[in-house]
Amino acid sequence: MNLRLRKPRGTVPGSSRPRVRIPVRRPDEGTTPAAGAAAVADADAASATPGRRERNKRDKQGRILAAAEDLFAERGYALVTTQDIADRADVAAGTLFRYASSKPELLLMVFNNEWRRALTGTRHDPTKADASLAPTDAIMALLLPLLTSAARHPENTAYYQREILCGEPTGTYRAEALELVDGLEATIATVLSGYGTETPGESERLRRGVDPALAARSIFSLLHLALIRCGLGREPMESLPDSLRTEIDLVLHGIVEQVPAATAEA
């Protein structure tokens, strides 16, 4: 009679050795809540810290920005080549174009940074407005840092304004420049809106039906053309604040007045 010997349960197939079960601990077992939270925080910090590749990328971008800024200031935009910037930044020309696709984009990169610095702190809070300032004075206080920046490099500023208007449609830094323009116009509109409901102190207020956003766009257009005019040598930069103030005053108050009917007939 054939007797088949059965192996006890829990043995390893092909062997008489018993199967050994190794307990597996879940990640949250045996740790305190504080230790678990610390581990999560460490993981988050590690993910937030840029890796070597990202640090190298930022370093190259910083060198390119610094080189372009210095060379444009030293020689003027027209006399600088992309190879000059690549050499000063110690990168290959091909590497340069991965960070800015053209020389005009390099100019936009530099002057976007310049305008951003000039506009820092100029975002207007209507609740903290100086009620003693007339609208023209309030707007000039907002624009003065930009005029000061432009006075250092008027020719380069004119090129920058040209690229804002006619730059590469898909350029990264042109898109960034247009966002800066939109932000400036929005800030001007906010300033004007502060004069829209009631007269603040002894100052003025907007006429009914006036769109502050449209007025802000007109004021930026004045600034844009004035900077180009000075960059081309058509007007001394020293006279720009006074002439721009006059032009803004004309936009805000108009250049014609209504003549009473009796006077017109006479």
Side-chain angles (χ1 to χ4, degrees):
M1 182 173 64
N2 293 330
L3 296 177
R4 179 176 297 177
L5 298 178
R6 299 181 63 183
K7 294 181 180 179
R9 292 181 179 180
T11 58
V12 179
S15 172
S16 60
R17 291 184 293 107
R19 188 190 301 271
V20 179
R21 293 184 177 276
I22 301 175
V24 179
R25 190 179 68 181
R26 294 181 302 177
D28 57 344
E29 289 182 344
T31 60
T32 64
V40 172
D42 290 342
D44 290 343
S47 62
T49 303
R52 180 182 300 175
R53 184 174 183 178
E54 182 63 25
R55 291 196 303 271
N56 289 340
K57 182 178 179 180
R58 293 181 184 179
D59 176 65
K60 288 178 183 178
Q61 185 173 27
R63 298 206 312 267
I64 290 169
L65 174 62
E69 186 172 8
D70 290 345
L71 286 168
F72 289 151
E74 293 168 11
R75 306 179 190 175
Y77 174 75
L79 299 181
V80 176
T81 68
T82 54
Q83 188 62 56
D84 292 334
I85 296 172
D87 292 342
R88 178 74 66 93
D90 194 23
V91 298
T95 300
L96 176 75
F97 290 122
R98 288 205 294 267
Y99 292 87
S101 60
S102 64
K103 179 180 169 182
E105 277 284 283
L106 285 164
L107 177 75
L108 286 161
M109 177 177 68
V110 168
F111 273 81
N112 287 349
N113 199 47
E114 180 76 15
W115 269 45
R116 195 177 291 110
R117 286 196 298 260
L119 290 170
T120 298
T122 61
R123 294 294 179 262
H124 191 72
D125 183 353
T127 65
K128 299 179 181 179
D130 186 349
S132 65
L133 286 179
T136 301
D137 294 328
I139 293 170
M140 285 302 299
L142 174 68
L143 300 182
L144 186 59
L146 294 177
L147 302 185
T148 302
S149 172
R152 290 194 289 268
H153 308 291
E155 183 179 353
N156 290 344
T157 299
Y159 281 116
Y160 176 58
Q161 295 301 312
R162 182 192 69 181
E163 292 304 323
I164 289 177
L165 185 63
C166 305
E168 299 175 27
T170 59
T172 299
Y173 293 106
R174 184 184 180 235
E176 187 179 89
L178 293 176
E179 289 180 2
L180 288 172
V181 171
D182 289 343
L184 177 57
E185 289 182 359
T187 303
I188 296 172
T190 302
V191 171
L192 294 175
S193 296
Y195 300 90
T197 56
E198 59 183 22
T199 303
E202 298 299 324
S203 190
E204 306 157 274
R205 67 178 181 182
L206 296 180
R207 293 196 306 270
R208 291 185 181 277
V210 169
D211 182 359
L214 184 59
R217 190 187 309 166
S218 300
I219 290 170
F220 176 78
S221 297
L222 292 177
L223 172 67
H224 173 75
L225 292 175
L227 292 174
I228 292 177
R229 188 168 62 245
C230 289
L232 296 176
R234 300 289 297 276
E235 178 182 346
M237 185 61 75
E238 295 78 13
S239 67
L240 179 57
D242 290 337
S243 64
L244 183 60
R245 176 189 295 274
T246 300
E247 292 177 7
I248 292 174
D249 204 52
L250 287 173
V251 167
L252 294 181
H253 299 103
I255 58 176
V256 298
E257 62 180 356
Q258 187 173 5
V259 180
T263 304
E265 291 174 359

